[in-house]
Structures are given as structure tokens and as C-alpha cells.
């Protein structure tokens, strides 16, 4: 039941936005009483944070399978290109954590903090692989790659059908090649 409620809430969050989705909407769509929803999630905020955690976990698992390569440099490129491939998928609805950060812009809000943690984790993954590949400016490259990925996610979502992902992949290759 918990996973079902989480799935229904996640679908509503992605279609309507988090702030526009009420607990009443979630309970009605899931066909459960609000008391049942609150049995599994003590507040809407905790439901949102669990939704974000679940989405991030699914994303990292998917990328872990696709990005295993023979070298750290190849793995870095595969990871970033894998993220861009996901962004380019027809049913891509944006990264849940990034969208949530926009809806909750207050820096001390737990949802915003979770969103910022996602971005930090993304940069950290990039920096770790860049360091393993011997790139001297690993942190700078990680920030540049994160900007490309996050920017492509926002741009592709608002302007689907253009070749933003293709251009982003080209930019990623240029950034990685010039840094190595």
C-alpha cells in the first residue's frame, strides 16, 4: 500500500506539480482514506521527500548499470551521456528533485535541501570520476557538466522536439576532451 500511494503521489506530482497536488487529491486518486495515507506518511512533506528519494534511487540504479566502462574517463562520459539520454526520452518529465527545488525555493525547507543534495551528489559523482581519470580541474569540470545536465533537463522539458540533448552531448564531449 505504501508503494502504491507513493506511485500515485509521484504521478500527480509530475503532472500537476507538488504544490498543486493536495493530500485530498492523492487520497482520492489512490482511492484510500486520508487516514490510510497518513498511516504511511506522517505529512505531505515526508511523502514528498520519500518520493524524491525513490526517484533519485531509481535514477542512480539505472545509470550504474549503463555507465560501467573500462576507464574512469570513459565512465564519466558514459554517466553524463546516460543522463542526457534519459533527458531525451519522450516520457521524460524532468528530474523530480530539481523540479521540487523550484517549487520550494526557501533554502531551509527540507524539500529544497533534498533538491540541493541531489545536485551535490551529481557534481560529486562527476568530480570523483574526473579525479580518477587524472583531470586536474576535476571540481570545475564537474560543475560544468552538472550545469549542462541540469540546463538540458530544464530546456528539453520546456522545448521538446528540439535537439538540445544532441547539442548538450557535443558540449559534454568538448568539455571532457579539453579538460583531459
Amino acid at each position: 500500500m505504501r508503494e502504491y500511494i507513493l506511485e500515485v503521489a509521484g504521478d500527480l506530482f509530475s503532472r500537476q506539480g507538488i504544490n498543486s497536488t493536495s493530500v485530498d487529491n492523492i487520497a482520492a486518486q489512490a482511492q484510500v482514506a486520508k487516514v490510510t495515507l497518513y498511516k504511511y506518511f506522517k505529512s505531505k512533506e515526508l511523502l514528498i521527500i520519500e518520493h524524491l528519494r525513490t526517484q533519485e534511487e531509481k535514477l542512480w540504479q539505472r545509470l550504474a548499470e549503463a555507465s560501467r566502462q573500462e576507464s574512469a574517463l570513459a565512465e564519466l562520459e558514459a554517466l553524463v551521456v546516460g543522463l542526457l539520454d534519459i533527458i531525451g526520452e519522450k516520457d521524460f518529465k524532468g528530474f523530480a528533485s530539481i523540479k521540487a527545488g523550484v517549487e520550494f525555493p526557501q533554502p531551509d525547507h527540507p524539500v529544497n535541501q533534498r533538491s540541493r543534495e541531489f545536485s551535490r551528489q551529481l557534481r560529486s559523482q562527476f568530480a570523483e570520476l574526473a579525479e580518477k581519470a587524472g583531470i586536474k580541474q576535476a571540481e570545475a569540470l564537474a560543475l560544468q557538466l552538472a550545469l549542462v545536465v541540469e540546463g538540458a533537463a530544464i530546456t528539453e522539458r520546456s522545448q521538446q522536439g528540439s535537439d538540445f540533448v544532441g547539442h548538450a552531448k557535443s558540449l559534454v564531449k568538448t568539455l571532457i576532451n579539453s579538460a583531459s
Side-chain angles (χ1 to χ4, degrees), residues 60 63-64 66-83 120-143 145 172 176 179-180:
W60 292 122
L63 289 168
S67 65
R68 291 193 183 104
Q69 300 292 321
E70 69 283 349
S71 71
L73 193 61
E75 195 168 326
L76 174 61
E77 186 172 331
L79 176 61
V80 179
V81 169
L83 282 161
R120 274 192 296 274
Q121 185 178 9
L122 189 66
R123 287 190 311 273
S124 176
Q125 290 275 87
F126 295 163
E128 182 180 313
L129 289 169
E131 285 174 14
K132 282 183 185 176
I135 294 174
K136 291 181 177 138
Q137 299 293 322
E139 291 292 330
L141 177 61
L143 178 58
L145 295 174
V172 162
I176 291 173
S180 55

Side-chain angles (χ1 to χ4, degrees), residues 96-114:
S97 291
I98 294 172
K99 288 171 41 180
V102 172
E103 287 199 58
F104 294 88
Q106 308 84 355
D108 59 340
H109 194 284
V111 173
N112 183 280
Q113 290 172 354
R114 183 72 200 193

Side-chain angles (χ1 to χ4, degrees), residues 127-180:
E128 182 180 313
L129 289 169
E131 285 174 14
K132 282 183 185 176
I135 294 174
K136 291 181 177 138
Q137 299 293 322
E139 291 292 330
L141 177 61
L143 178 58
Q144 293 166 346
L145 295 174
L147 287 168
V148 172
V149 169
E150 291 181 11
I154 293 167
T155 304
E156 183 63 27
R157 177 137 165 78
S158 65
Q159 299 179 25
Q160 281 186 329
S162 54
D163 191 26
F164 287 104
V165 170
H167 291 292
K169 287 179 183 180
S170 176
L171 180 56
V172 162
K173 289 177 188 206
T174 300
L175 290 170
I176 291 173
N177 289 335
S178 68
S180 55

